[in-house]
Amino acid sequence: MVTIADVARQAGVATSTVSYVLSGKRSISGATRDRVQEAVRVLGYRPNASARALASSRSNVLALVIPLRAGMHVPVLMQFATAVVTTARRFDHDVLLLTADEGRSGLERVSQSALVDALVVMDVELHDERVPLLRELPMPSVLIGIPADTEGLTCIDLDFFAAAEQCVDHLTDLGHREIALLGTPSAVYERQTGFAARTMAGFQAAAERRGIQGIETPCESTFDAVLGTVGELLREHPGITGLVVQNEPIIGPLLDVLRSLGRRVPEDMSLLAICADDVAERQVPKLSSVTLPADEIGQQAVEALIAKLDGNQAPAVTLVPAQLTARASTSTAP
Amino acid sequence: MVTIADVARQAGVATSTVSYVLSGKRSISGATRDRVQEAVRVLGYRPNASARALASSRSNVLALVIPLRAGMHVPVLMQFATAVVTTARRFDHDVLLLTADEGRSGLERVSQSALVDALVVMDVELHDERVPLLRELPMPSVLIGIPADTEGLTCIDLDFFAAAEQCVDHLTDLGHREIALLGTPSAVYERQTGFAARTMAGFQAAAERRGIQGIETPCESTFDAVLGTVGELLREHPGITGLVVQNEPIIGPLLDVLRSLGRRVPEDMSLLAICADDVAERQVPKLSSVTLPADEIGQQAVEALIAKLDGNQAPAVTLVPAQLTARASTSTAP
DNA sequence: GTGAAAGCGCTAACAA
DNA sequence: TTGTTAGCGCTTTCAC
C-alpha cells in the first residue's frame, strides 16, 4: 500500500506538504506542487479514507435513509436517490445506503460511530418518529419531505399543497365542477406520509375556495384496483369530469380503464398527473401535469447538507414551486 | 464523544481489555466482562468506525454497484439491493451505494482508498468492462449476474438458461408448437446483459431440442410498445399459442393487450413469466412462472462475500436453480 | 486473564 | 513557503 510518507519521500518533501497539496488548504509553490503531484501519479497514491476520517473527523460519507415502505413507488424513490448520489459525488462525498427499517437505531448507529457525517432522510411522515432523533443527533441532516413540525430541521420538497391547488384551479378554470383526486395507496395516507397528506390538503382547500366539489380517494397500484376504484368513483359521482392522479404506476392502467369505460381523454374526462415530466409525456395522450422534479430536489438536499457541513445556515423549509404544464389530457368540461 | 479510554477508566481496566470484550477475540473473566459491558452501557459508548477501520484494516462496509442503465426495471434491482443491505447488516456490515456510471474509476476509488472492503456488482454484461478490473482489485467481490468469462470471479444468479428451457419444456409438453419470448427492452440485449442473453440462449436451445418454433423479440416497457410488439408478433406468426415474458413492467399491459385482441388466457394463449412470485400471483389470471428469487440471490451474494473476507473459498459460479410453478395462465394448446 | 504501548495513515497545529 | 510532530481512537503484539 502506498502511503503519504511514500509520496513525501519520492517528492522530497514533508508529509504535511503532500497533505496540503492534496487538500489545497495552504498555498504551495508551483515547483513543489508539481513534484508532489508527479509523485502521486507515479506511485498511484490514494489517501486512505479511514486515516483521513480519523484525523479530520470527517468521513466524507453521507447516509441516505430510504425505508422503502409499503405503497411507495420505487422508481421515483430511486430517482431521488440517484440525484443524491450524483450530487454527493460532486462534493467529493460517498453515500451509505440505509434501507431496512432499522429506523431510529440505524440512524444512531451510523451517526454515533461517525461512519457518516450527515444524513439525507427520505419518505417523511407528518409525525415521523425519526424527527425528534434528528434534532438530537450531533450531525446535520436534511429531510426530503416535510413533517408537521419543522422546528430545528432542514426540509426540502415539492410544494405539494400548491401542486394540488394548481391542479384544482386549472380544472376549475376549464369549467369542471366535480373533480376527484386519485391518490396513493391507502397505506401511504395511513402513515400520514407528508407529500400525500399535503397534496390532499391542498386539493380540499382549493376545491372549497373555488366552490366546486372535490372527492379524494386512495388507490392501490394494480390494474384491478384502478378498475374498481375508478368504477366506483364514477358510479357514485357520475358528474365527475376531471381527475388528478398522484400515483405513478397507475397512470397507464388508468388510461386503459377510462378507454374501456368509453370515456375519452380529454373530451369526456380531463386528466392531470403529479409526476415526472418524462412519464407525463410518454402517455397517449400526453398528460397535463405538475412536475415532480426529483433530480432538482435531491440535488438541493445535498447542497443544503454540504452547506450545513461547512457551517453555513440552510433554510428550514424549502418548497420547490409547483409548475403545471398543460398538455393534451385536459380541456374544457363537456 | 465517548472513547474506549473513557470506558476503560469507568470499568477500571485497560483499553485493550475493553477492545477484547467487544470483539470477543480473547477470553475474559466474567466479572471483567460484566464491568466493561456495564460501563459501555452507562456511557453509551460506540466504537469510532474510522479508528477501528484504520487500526484493523477493515471498514466493515461493502460497496454495492448498481449502474441503473436503460431498460432495467428499478423495483427488481432494488429488491436485490434491499436483500444485500439486510444481509450485510446481519454480518455487521454497511453498504455504500455506487450508482452513477463512475464505472471503473468508482470501483478503483472506493477500493484503493479502503473505503470498503468488498464489492457487490450488479447489472453484469457478458463482456463487462468492470470484470478485468475486479480481477485486479486487492479486495474480494461478488457479481450478481454472470459474464462470459468467469475465470477468477465469484458470480451468483438465477439459472436463466435453465429458466427459459423449463418454460419451453412446459409449453411444449402442453402441446404448443409455436411460442415466443417477449423479452426485455432492446437496450438490454444490445449491452449483452447477462441475464437477458442467457435467457434467450436457453429459449433457443430448448426450442431447437424440442423441435418447435421459438421466436424471440425484445419489447420496450410501455403499453404502446406492448400493443405494437404483440400485434406484429401475432400478425407475422398467427400460430403462436404460447408466450414467455421476461419483462416485469409489461406484464399488466400484456394481459390487457391480449384481452383487447380477444385472446383469452390460457384458453387461446398460454402465458409464462419469469418474475418474482408475488408479481405472478397478483395478476388475473395468476401467472405460471419461473421465480426470480431476488432476496435469495442478494443474500447468497453477501454470504459468499463474507466468506471470502474471512479467507474462505467461494464457488466461482452459483446458479440458483430455476423453479417453474404452474398456475392459471398456462394450459394445453388450443 | 490482563495491561502497556506501538502503531494504523492521515491532518493540522506549531515552528521556522 | 515548508517541515516537525502530536494526536485522531482503535487493534493487536508483547509482556507479565
Side-chain angles (χ1 to χ4, degrees):
Chain A
M1 153 168 271
V2 183
T3 72
I4 199 172
D6 298 325
V7 175
R9 202 172 311 121
Q10 168 93 11
V13 301
T15 61
S16 59
T17 300
V18 177
S19 175
Y20 285 121
V21 167
L22 261 39
S23 69
K25 286 189 181 172
R26 78 178 181 192
S27 54
I28 303 280
S29 72
T32 304
R33 182 178 24 253
D34 289 349
R35 282 218 313 292
V36 169
Q37 287 172 338
E38 175 64 8
V40 165
R41 212 186 49 70
V42 168
L43 300 177
Y45 168 71
R46 296 261 187 174
N48 178 292
S50 313
R52 178 173 268 186
L54 179 58
S56 65
S57 315
R58 290 280 232 111
S59 67
N60 273 33
V61 175
L62 311 180
L64 176 62
V65 189
I66 314 186
L68 284 184
R69 296 187 266 225
M72 297 301 292
H73 185 52
V74 176
V76 171
L77 292 178
M78 282 309 287
Q79 236 181 305
F80 283 100
T82 305
V84 166
V85 172
T86 306
T87 311
R89 287 300 309 138
R90 270 210 291 119
F91 291 100
D92 201 31
H93 282 248
D94 275 284
V95 174
L96 197 81
L97 181 61
L98 259 47
T99 57
D101 266 26
E102 281 196 86
R104 295 175 49 104
S105 74
L107 299 192
E108 275 171 330
R109 184 172 55 76
V110 297
S111 61
Q112 291 183 24
S113 65
L115 228 192
V116 305
D117 38 43
L119 306 162
V120 178
V121 178
M122 293 188 55
D123 194 4
V124 177
E125 303 170 359
L126 287 187
H127 307 285
D128 203 296
E129 62 153 9
R130 297 168 297 180
V131 162
L133 180 59
L134 291 178
R135 292 204 181 87
E136 289 166 15
L137 286 183
M139 65 181 51
S141 55
V142 167
L143 312 196
I144 295 181
I146 303 180
D149 177 8
T150 60
E151 173 75 34
L153 304 176
T154 301
C155 315
I156 302 187
D157 209 349
L158 175 63
D159 189 344
F160 281 99
F161 191 97
E165 281 187 301
Q166 289 188 21
C167 290
V168 172
D169 283 336
H170 179 66
L171 291 173
T172 309
D173 291 344
L174 287 170
H176 299 269
R177 314 303 302 163
E178 202 172 343
I179 66 180
L181 171 66
L182 205 59
T184 66
S186 52
V188 177
Y189 293 107
E190 281 156 15
R191 284 203 309 272
Q192 296 201 64
T193 306
F195 79 93
R198 285 179 289 126
T199 305
M200 186 175 277
F203 186 85
Q204 288 171 338
E208 184 158 349
R209 171 165 53 72
R210 298 299 299 259
I212 68 164
Q213 190 176 5
I215 299 107
E216 304 93 25
T217 177
C219 186
E220 306 310 307
S221 300
T222 67
F223 184 90
D224 288 337
V226 176
L227 194 61
T229 304
V230 172
E232 184 174 2
L233 188 67
L234 297 184
R235 214 173 308 119
E236 294 189 354
H237 306 275
I240 287 177
T241 57
L243 288 177
V244 177
V245 202
Q246 179 179 43
N247 185 332
E248 226 183 89
I250 70 167
I251 289 177
L254 175 59
L255 284 165
D256 299 336
V257 164
L258 290 175
R259 204 175 297 137
S260 74
L261 292 175
R263 309 266 185 147
R264 294 164 303 166
V265 175
E267 292 83 353
D268 309 318
M269 182 70 77
S270 281
L271 193 55
L272 258 170
I274 301 174
C275 68
D277 269 340
D278 60 327
V279 172
E281 289 182 349
R282 198 186 303 144
Q283 312 301 322
V284 182
K286 293 185 180 177
L287 300 190
S288 301
S289 71
V290 172
T291 307
L292 178 55
D295 289 353
E296 182 187 341
I297 293 170
Q299 182 181 323
Q300 284 199 38
V302 173
E303 285 169 354
L305 206 44
I306 297 290
K308 289 175 90 171
L309 278 173
D310 290 346
N312 301 319
Q313 288 268 305
V317 177
T318 303
L319 287 175
V320 175
Q323 246 184 333
L324 191 151
T325 302
R327 297 195 184 83
S329 68
T330 47
S331 69
T332 52
Chain B
M1 151 169 276
V2 184
T3 73
I4 199 170
D6 298 325
V7 176
R9 204 172 309 121
Q10 168 92 10
V13 299
T15 60
S16 57
T17 301
V18 176
S19 176
Y20 284 121
V21 167
L22 261 39
S23 69
K25 286 188 182 174
R26 79 179 182 193
S27 55
I28 302 280
S29 74
T32 303
R33 180 174 30 251
D34 290 349
R35 281 218 313 291
V36 169
Q37 287 173 338
E38 176 66 7
V40 166
R41 212 187 49 68
V42 167
L43 299 178
Y45 168 71
R46 297 261 188 174
N48 178 292
S50 313
R52 179 171 267 185
L54 179 58
S56 66
S57 315
R58 289 281 232 112
S59 67
N60 274 32
V61 175
L62 311 179
L64 176 63
V65 189
I66 314 185
L68 286 183
R69 296 187 265 226
M72 298 301 292
H73 186 52
V74 177
V76 171
L77 292 178
M78 282 309 286
Q79 237 181 305
F80 284 99
T82 305
V84 166
V85 172
T86 305
T87 310
R89 287 300 310 138
R90 272 210 290 117
F91 291 100
D92 201 33
H93 282 247
D94 274 284
V95 173
L96 197 81
L97 182 61
L98 260 47
T99 58
D101 267 26
E102 281 196 86
R104 296 175 49 104
S105 74
L107 299 192
E108 274 172 330
R109 185 172 54 79
V110 298
S111 61
Q112 291 182 24
S113 65
L115 227 192
V116 305
D117 37 43
L119 307 162
V120 178
V121 178
M122 294 186 57
D123 194 4
V124 177
E125 303 170 0
L126 287 187
H127 307 284
D128 203 296
E129 63 152 8
R130 298 168 296 180
V131 163
L133 181 58
L134 292 178
R135 291 205 182 87
E136 289 166 16
L137 286 183
M139 66 181 49
S141 56
V142 168
L143 312 196
I144 295 181
I146 302 180
D149 176 8
T150 60
E151 173 74 34
L153 304 175
T154 302
C155 315
I156 302 186
D157 208 351
L158 176 63
D159 188 344
F160 281 99
F161 191 97
E165 281 187 300
Q166 289 188 21
C167 290
V168 172
D169 283 335
H170 179 65
L171 290 173
T172 309
D173 290 344
L174 288 170
H176 299 268
R177 314 300 304 162
E178 201 172 343
I179 65 179
L181 170 65
L182 204 59
T184 66
S186 53
V188 177
Y189 293 107
E190 280 155 17
R191 283 203 310 272
Q192 296 201 64
T193 306
F195 78 93
R198 285 180 289 126
T199 304
M200 186 175 277
F203 186 85
Q204 288 172 337
E208 183 157 349
R209 170 166 53 73
R210 298 298 299 261
I212 67 163
Q213 189 176 5
I215 298 106
E216 304 93 25
T217 175
C219 186
E220 307 309 308
S221 300
T222 67
F223 185 89
D224 287 336
V226 177
L227 195 59
T229 305
V230 173
E232 183 174 2
L233 189 66
L234 297 184
R235 213 172 308 120
E236 296 189 353
H237 305 276
I240 288 179
T241 58
L243 289 176
V244 177
V245 201
Q246 179 179 43
N247 185 332
E248 226 183 89
I250 71 166
I251 288 177
L254 174 60
L255 284 164
D256 300 337
V257 164
L258 290 174
R259 204 176 297 136
S260 74
L261 292 176
R263 308 265 185 148
R264 294 164 303 166
V265 175
E267 292 83 355
D268 309 317
M269 182 70 76
S270 281
L271 193 56
L272 259 170
I274 300 175
C275 68
D277 269 340
D278 61 325
V279 172
E281 288 181 347
R282 199 185 301 144
Q283 312 301 321
V284 182
K286 293 184 180 177
L287 299 190
S288 301
S289 71
V290 172
T291 306
L292 178 56
D295 289 352
E296 182 187 341
I297 293 170
Q299 181 180 324
Q300 284 199 39
V302 172
E303 285 169 354
L305 206 44
I306 298 291
K308 288 175 90 170
L309 278 172
D310 291 346
N312 301 318
Q313 289 268 305
V317 178
T318 304
L319 286 176
V320 175
Q323 247 184 332
L324 191 151
T325 303
R327 297 196 182 84
S329 67
T330 46
S331 70
T332 52

